[in-house]
Amino acid sequence: KTSVYPTPTKTVTSTVQNADGTWTITYDVTVSLPGVGPSNPDGLSAKYNLSDTLKFGAGITVTSATWSGQSSGTFSGTTAQLAMAKTIAAGATHTYTVTANATVPVSAYPSATAVAGKVPPEVIGSTSGVPVRCAVPAPRVTPVEKPGMSFSV
């Protein structure tokens, strides 16, 4: 019997500075399993556990975070269990959308352009679209069949 393992990815979909100066950061965590083909010749399904950790960098404080998609809930602290023993079919992709609200201090912006907590143009135009020192860490997927094995992106 061939083993197949899901692959997680995390992609920031939006960052918005709110009127009160806080930021709303939205990103998708996807878990995919290859369809029938070289990576999954028998078209097997798999089960996975998925956790996500909010870790936005020095000085940035997450004030709230939720997720929706294959399951939904509210983060309690900085880590959430998005899925436990979730079955994914061959060729399927599961999407979990995380929305976090955070305070980003002036010190997180480039010092030459920080102005009273307002986002400088180079942050808005950054390739990641996320405030400086605010990159999202990789999700963690653990195949149920091999609990000691973990996958990171």
Side-chain angles (χ1 to χ4, degrees), residues 22-130:
T22 62
W23 284 84
T24 299
I25 300 123
T26 305
Y27 59 91
D28 287 338
V29 177
T30 59
V31 178
S32 300
L33 190 67
V36 176
S39 299
N40 191 358
D42 298 322
L44 300 174
S45 62
K47 286 188 178 185
Y48 66 91
N49 299 324
L50 176 66
S51 62
D52 188 37
T53 301
L54 302 168
K55 187 175 179 183
F56 289 112
I60 296 171
T61 304
V62 176
T63 56
S64 65
T66 60
W67 79 90
S68 61
Q70 294 292 314
S71 66
S72 62
T74 301
F75 279 72
S76 177
T78 59
T79 301
Q81 189 72 45
L82 307 183
M84 287 292 293
K86 181 73 175 171
T87 300
I88 185 168
T93 297
H94 292 174
T95 301
Y96 303 82
T97 299
V98 176
T99 303
N101 187 273
T103 58
V104 180
V106 172
S107 62
Y109 301 124
S111 60
T113 56
V115 180
K118 297 297 180 188
V119 63
E122 49 274 29
V123 172
I124 293 172
S126 70
T127 56
S128 66
V130 181

